[in-house]
Amino acid sequence: MPFQNQTKKQDEPIDEAVGRMRRFLREMVEYVDQADSPYTVPVIELQLGEVLTITSLLLDNPGPSLSITALLPRQENTGYLDVLHTVSIGGYRGITGGGEFFWHAEQGRFVVIRLVPVLDLPDERSVLDAILDLSEDAFDWFCVISGAARRI
């Protein structure tokens, strides 16, 4: 279902696309009952299996984008420096569509962040697919580097 009964337009002004995305995210925040959150911008937090995703609208450079963060399961002893070195030299390309990898030392977990340009997301389904895709890609990557059992 397209945003506000619209379809993607190549020449759609960026302000309209950002407005559509902001409205949709606010609706999703209310739908998942996070309306009381302290955030001034809509932020959707979804637990998808073992991965927590946090999604919001980023208006800064390189342009309006959907920022999707995947927080992977906690690890006690990961050898994370070896993993980050492997990622930095392109040793594993399981995260399709790009993404930045981080080690959150305080929480003991890997974090993957992907930015998707707003104009690449023409409807609600594409937004939800982008969130699910990162969650699945990040967990698959996590299983490879940690030796964890893969979910079915």
Side-chain angles (χ1 to χ4, degrees), residues 22-42:
R22 186 173 280 134
R23 280 189 299 277
F24 175 66
L25 291 176
R26 286 217 185 275
E27 289 173 12
M28 285 299 298
V29 165
E30 290 175 17
Y31 181 75
V32 296
D33 208 18
Q34 294 174 358
D36 293 332
S37 88
Y39 304 113
T40 57
V41 296

Side-chain angles (χ1 to χ4, degrees), residues 96-118:
T96 58
E100 292 186 63
F101 300 87
F102 300 96
W103 172 253
H104 194 300
E106 186 175 304
Q107 291 188 9
R109 68 172 81 210
F110 288 101
V111 176
V112 181
I113 300 174
R114 180 182 291 163
L115 300 179
V116 182
V118 168

Side-chain angles (χ1 to χ4, degrees), residues 14-91:
I14 195 71
D15 290 343
E16 286 180 31
V18 168
R20 282 187 301 109
M21 183 64 67
R22 186 173 280 134
R23 280 189 299 277
F24 175 66
L25 291 176
R26 286 217 185 275
E27 289 173 12
M28 285 299 298
V29 165
E30 290 175 17
Y31 181 75
V32 296
D33 208 18
Q34 294 174 358
D36 293 332
S37 88
Y39 304 113
T40 57
V41 296
V43 176
I44 302 168
E45 296 178 4
L46 299 172
Q47 184 74 41
L48 302 168
E50 296 183 54
V51 178
L52 174 65
T53 62
I54 302 170
T55 306
S56 65
L57 186 60
L58 180 67
L59 299 176
D60 295 336
N61 290 332
S65 301
L66 193 66
S67 173
I68 308 167
T69 302
L71 290 104
L72 293 158
R74 288 191 167 104
Q75 292 290 115
E76 299 237 353
N77 185 6
T78 62
Y80 66 90
L81 292 176
D82 293 334
V83 172
L84 291 177
H85 176 68
T86 301
V87 168
S88 70
I89 61 171

